[in-house]
Amino acid sequence: MSLFVRKPMDALMNEAAETGEHTLKKTLGAKGLIALGIGAIIGAGLFSITGMAAANHAGPAITISFIVAGFGCLFAGLCYAEFASMIPVAGSAYTYSYATMGEFVAWIIGWDLVLEYAVGAATVGISWSRYLVKFLEGFNVHLPVELTAGPWDGGIINLPAVSIIVLMSLLLIKGTKESAFVNGIIVAVKLAVVLTFIILGWQYINNDNFNPYIPDNTGNFGDFGFSGIIRAAAIVFFAYIGFDAVSTAAQEAKNPKRDMPIGILGSLAICTILYILFAHVMTGVTSYKSFAGQDGIAPVSVAIENMGTANAAGVITPDYPWLNRAIVVAILFGYSSVILVMLMGQSRVFFSMSKDGLIPRIFSAVNPKTQTPAKSNLLFMVFVSAFAAFIPARVVGEMTSIGTLFAFILVCAGVWVMRRKMPELQRAFKTPLVPLVPILGIAVCLFMMVFLPMDTWIRLIVWMLIGMDIYLVYGAKHSHLGNGTDNRKGMKIARITGLLLSVLLVVVGFLHQKSVGFDTDRTLLYISLAFAAIHLILFARKLGRKEPLS
C-alpha cells in the first residue's frame, strides 16, 4: 500500500466503539471537556510567556497580539470541532490527517504534536519551578539556583520542574476519572485567581504605561512595531493550545458527537476573553519593560508588586500582600493542570499512532486495572522531565508555538479536503463557510509561523528530519496498512521531502546567522549544516531505488 493510504472511516468508527478492560474508559461529559480545555489553556501562556512577549516584542500591544492569535484559533477551533464530532477517536490532528490526507502526512503531524504537548508540558514545568522559588522566598527559604535552573539558565538541573512532571504523570496513570476530578478542582481555583487579578488590578492601571501603546520598532524585525505584534502573537499562540488538547480525549467522552464541539469552542471562548482582560491589566499596572530578564517568565508576581501606592522615595508598597502569595499558590496548582492535560494529550496521540503500527506497541498498551496507557505515561514522564531539567524556557516555548501552528494548518486543510472527498459523511457539527474558514485559518497560522525567530525554524526542521528517519526506518515497515516492508509506493516522494527539508535547513541556518550577525556564535549554524549534509547524503543514496506499483 502507498505511503498516502488513508485510514478507512469504518475502521475509525469501529475503534471508537471498542469497549473492554484493554480500551480507554469513557468518563468525560461536556463540562468535564470544557474544564479539560480551560485546565490546559489558562496558565500555559498567560502566566509564563505573556510577560516575555510584551517585554521583548509587543509592549502594551500584547493585547492586540492575543486578539490576532485568537482569530487564528477560532478558525482552527471550528475545524477541530467538526473533526472531533465526526471522528471521536484519540489522536487529534494525527487521526484526522490519517483519514483525509494519508499515512505519510499523518506521521508528520503526529511527530509534530510531540512539540505541542510533550515540549509544552516541559515549558510549563520550568515556569512552575520559577513560581515555586518565588513562593518559598516569601518564607525566607532559598533554593540553590544550581538545582532550580538548567545549564543555560545559570544552574545545573531544574529539580522542581522534574518533580511536578513526575507527580502529574503518576496521577494520569491512576486513571482518567481521577485526573479529571483533580483537574476540575484546580480549574475552579484558577478561574477565581484570574478574575481576582483582573478585578483588583483594574483600579491600579496607570495609563502612562500604555504610552506608547505600540512602541516604535528598534530597527530589528520583530522587535516592537507591527512586526513585533505579529511575532508576539506567534509566541503567545502557545497560550491557546489547550482547546485542541480536548480533541485527544474524544475516545474517553461519553457523547463525543455532541460534547466535543462544546468542549473545544466553549473553553476557547471563555479563555480568549479572560486573556485579553488579563494582559490589559498586567501591562497597565506596571511598565512592560519590568517583565524583562529573570522575571519575564513570571510576570504576574511583578504586576502584583506594583498594585499599591508609591511613597516619597518612589517605592511601591503592595496593597494586597496576601494576594501575591495566594495567587502564586493558585498558579502553582494551575500550572499543574496544564501539565496534566498536555501529558494526557501526548500519550493519547502516541496511543493512536501505536494502534496503527507506526510506533512500538508499548505506547498503546492499556493497563487493565486503570484503563490508561500507563507504560506510555511513564516513558513520557522521563522524556519531558529531561527537557524541563536542562532546556531553556524560551527555546521550549517557541518550539511549542511553531509545532502548534503547523498542526492547526493541517487540521484546517483536512476539513477542506474531507468536505470535497467525503461530502456524504454525517457531521454532528459543521464548520461554517467552508472553504473560507479553513483558508483563513491556514493563512493566519502560516503568517504567524513566518514571524517566529529563525532559530525556532531550525529546531522544527531538525525535529521533522528526525521524525522522517524514524518513519522510514520503522513506521513505514510496521504500519498495519503497509506491505510489511520498508519499500512502499510513495517512498520516493518521502525521500524528496527529506531532501527539501535538508536544503531548507541550510537556508534557514544562514538566515538565522545573518539575523544575529556572522561575528557572533556560529554553533547553531554548524549544527544545521552538519545535520543537513548527513541527511542529504542519506536521502540521495536511495532516491533511485525502485518502488512497488501499489
Side-chain angles (χ1 to χ4, degrees):
M1 297 289 282
S2 167
L3 293 188
F4 295 93
V5 60
R6 293 197 296 265
K7 191 169 184 178
M9 287 298 296
D10 290 344
L12 287 169
M13 292 301 103
N14 290 336
E15 191 175 318
E18 288 178 351
T19 58
E21 63 179 14
H22 291 287
T23 61
L24 299 175
K25 193 173 182 179
K26 300 181 185 299
T27 59
L28 300 172
K31 291 181 181 178
L33 291 168
I34 290 176
L36 201 67
I38 295 174
I41 298 173
I42 296 181
L46 190 63
F47 298 136
S48 62
I49 290 181
T50 307
M52 181 179 67
N56 298 333
H57 302 294
I62 187 66
T63 51
I64 301 177
S65 300
F66 271 116
I67 293 171
V68 172
F71 269 109
C73 286
L74 174 62
F75 300 138
L78 290 168
C79 296
Y80 265 99
E82 176 170 326
F83 267 134
S85 67
M86 185 170 57
I87 309 176
V89 179
S92 185
Y94 160 76
T95 302
Y96 310 152
S97 298
Y98 211 158
T100 57
M101 290 175 279
E103 182 180 294
F104 180 58
V105 176
W107 168 267
I108 291 173
I109 196 60
W111 185 249
D112 170 73
L113 286 173
V114 177
L115 294 180
E116 180 175 352
Y117 296 132
V119 179
T123 304
V124 183
I126 294 169
S127 193
W128 187 91
S129 175
R130 298 270 180 95
Y131 270 105
L132 178 67
V133 170
K134 182 175 284 288
F135 174 71
L136 292 177
E137 285 175 351
F139 294 96
N140 203 30
V141 176
H142 301 279
L143 299 178
V145 68
E146 291 82 6
L147 301 180
T148 58
W152 284 276
D153 290 328
I156 297 174
I157 184 173
N158 195 330
L159 287 181
V162 172
S163 66
I164 188 61
I165 290 167
V166 169
L167 183 62
M168 291 301 101
S169 296
L170 295 177
L171 179 58
L172 281 173
I173 292 170
K174 178 69 176 175
T176 301
K177 185 176 181 179
E178 293 80 0
S179 301
F181 176 75
V182 172
N183 180 67
I185 295 173
I186 293 174
V187 165
V189 174
K190 193 155 53 173
L191 285 175
V193 166
V194 172
L195 289 172
T196 300
F197 178 87
I198 292 171
I199 293 169
L200 294 182
W202 201 273
Q203 61 186 311
Y204 296 99
I205 290 177
N206 181 355
N207 289 328
D208 290 341
N209 291 322
F210 296 138
N211 187 20
Y213 196 74
I214 304 177
D216 293 334
N217 184 266
T218 61
N220 296 322
F221 184 83
D223 291 349
F224 306 106
F226 173 76
S227 64
I229 291 174
I230 304 302
R231 173 165 288 182
I235 293 172
V236 301
F237 199 86
F238 167 64
Y240 289 96
I241 66 174
F243 80 84
D244 67 294
V246 175
S247 65
T248 66
Q251 215 161 329
E252 292 156 280
K254 297 175 183 176
N255 186 357
K257 290 184 179 294
R258 184 199 70 183
D259 294 343
M260 292 307 296
I262 295 173
I264 292 170
L265 298 176
S267 59
L268 177 60
I270 292 170
C271 294
T272 299
I273 295 170
L274 291 176
Y275 272 17
I276 295 169
L277 294 175
F278 193 97
H280 180 72
V281 171
M282 191 182 72
T283 54
V285 298
T286 184
S287 170
Y288 66 90
K289 296 177 182 178
S290 64
F291 301 135
Q294 182 67 22
D295 280 328
I297 198 73
V300 180
S301 294
V302 177
I304 291 171
E305 289 168 2
N306 283 273
M307 291 181 187
T309 306
N311 59 22
V315 178
I316 296 176
T317 302
D319 287 345
Y320 305 103
W322 57 269
L323 179 61
N324 190 31
R325 189 166 294 170
I327 284 186
V328 172
V329 170
I331 289 172
L332 287 170
F333 279 97
Y335 271 132
S336 303
S337 71
V338 177
I339 296 168
L340 181 76
V341 178
M342 294 297 100
L343 290 173
M344 177 182 178
Q346 180 59 70
S347 65
R348 274 35 174 195
V349 171
F350 265 40
F351 174 85
S352 290
M353 295 176 73
S354 177
K355 291 269 285 186
D356 295 329
L358 301 185
I359 55 178
R361 291 181 182 179
I362 190 172
F363 290 102
S364 58
V366 175
N367 185 302
K369 183 177 180 180
T370 63
Q371 290 188 265
T372 61
K375 293 179 180 178
S376 179
N377 287 133
L378 285 172
L379 289 173
F380 277 110
M381 179 182 75
V382 174
F383 174 78
V384 176
S385 295
F387 252 80
F390 302 110
I391 307 299
R394 184 193 73 84
V395 171
V396 290
E398 291 176 359
M399 284 177 69
T400 303
S401 288
I402 199 166
T404 305
L405 288 163
F406 187 41
F408 285 7
I409 286 173
L410 288 185
V411 169
C412 290
V415 164
W416 190 5
V417 170
M418 186 163 276
R419 284 289 187 92
R420 290 176 61 87
K421 300 288 186 181
M422 306 176 191
E424 74 284 355
L425 290 178
Q426 184 178 359
R427 294 164 169 83
F429 176 88
K430 282 191 174 184
T431 303
L433 302 175
V434 175
L436 178 61
V437 167
I439 290 173
L440 289 174
I442 293 169
V444 172
C445 293
L446 187 60
F447 189 58
M448 285 190 284
M449 283 181 74
V450 171
F451 279 79
L452 281 168
M454 283 294 145
D455 59 341
T456 303
W457 277 91
I458 291 174
R459 295 181 185 98
L460 174 67
I461 298 170
V462 168
W463 183 255
M464 289 294 103
L465 284 171
I466 294 172
M468 290 283 293
D469 296 339
I470 296 173
Y471 177 70
L472 295 176
V473 171
Y474 182 93
K477 181 178 180 179
H478 292 85
S479 169
H480 295 331
L481 298 182
N483 58 11
T485 74
D486 61 358
N487 188 28
R488 295 166 56 187
K489 184 180 179 181
M491 278 290 185
K492 187 172 183 179
I493 295 176
R495 294 186 180 108
I496 291 174
T497 301
L499 287 171
L500 292 174
L501 283 173
S502 301
V503 172
L504 183 60
L505 180 58
V506 173
V507 173
V508 173
F510 276 106
L511 287 175
H512 165 67
Q513 198 62 46
K514 181 181 178 182
S515 67
V516 298
F518 283 91
D519 55 341
T520 59
D521 182 49
R522 301 181 186 178
T523 302
L524 198 55
L525 174 62
Y526 294 147
I527 291 174
S528 302
L529 295 177
F531 204 82
I534 292 170
H535 282 83
L536 283 169
I537 295 170
L538 289 174
F539 291 127
R541 278 179 56 204
K542 294 185 177 182
L543 194 59
R545 184 179 180 184
K546 188 176 181 180
E547 59 185 37
L549 298 177
S550 62

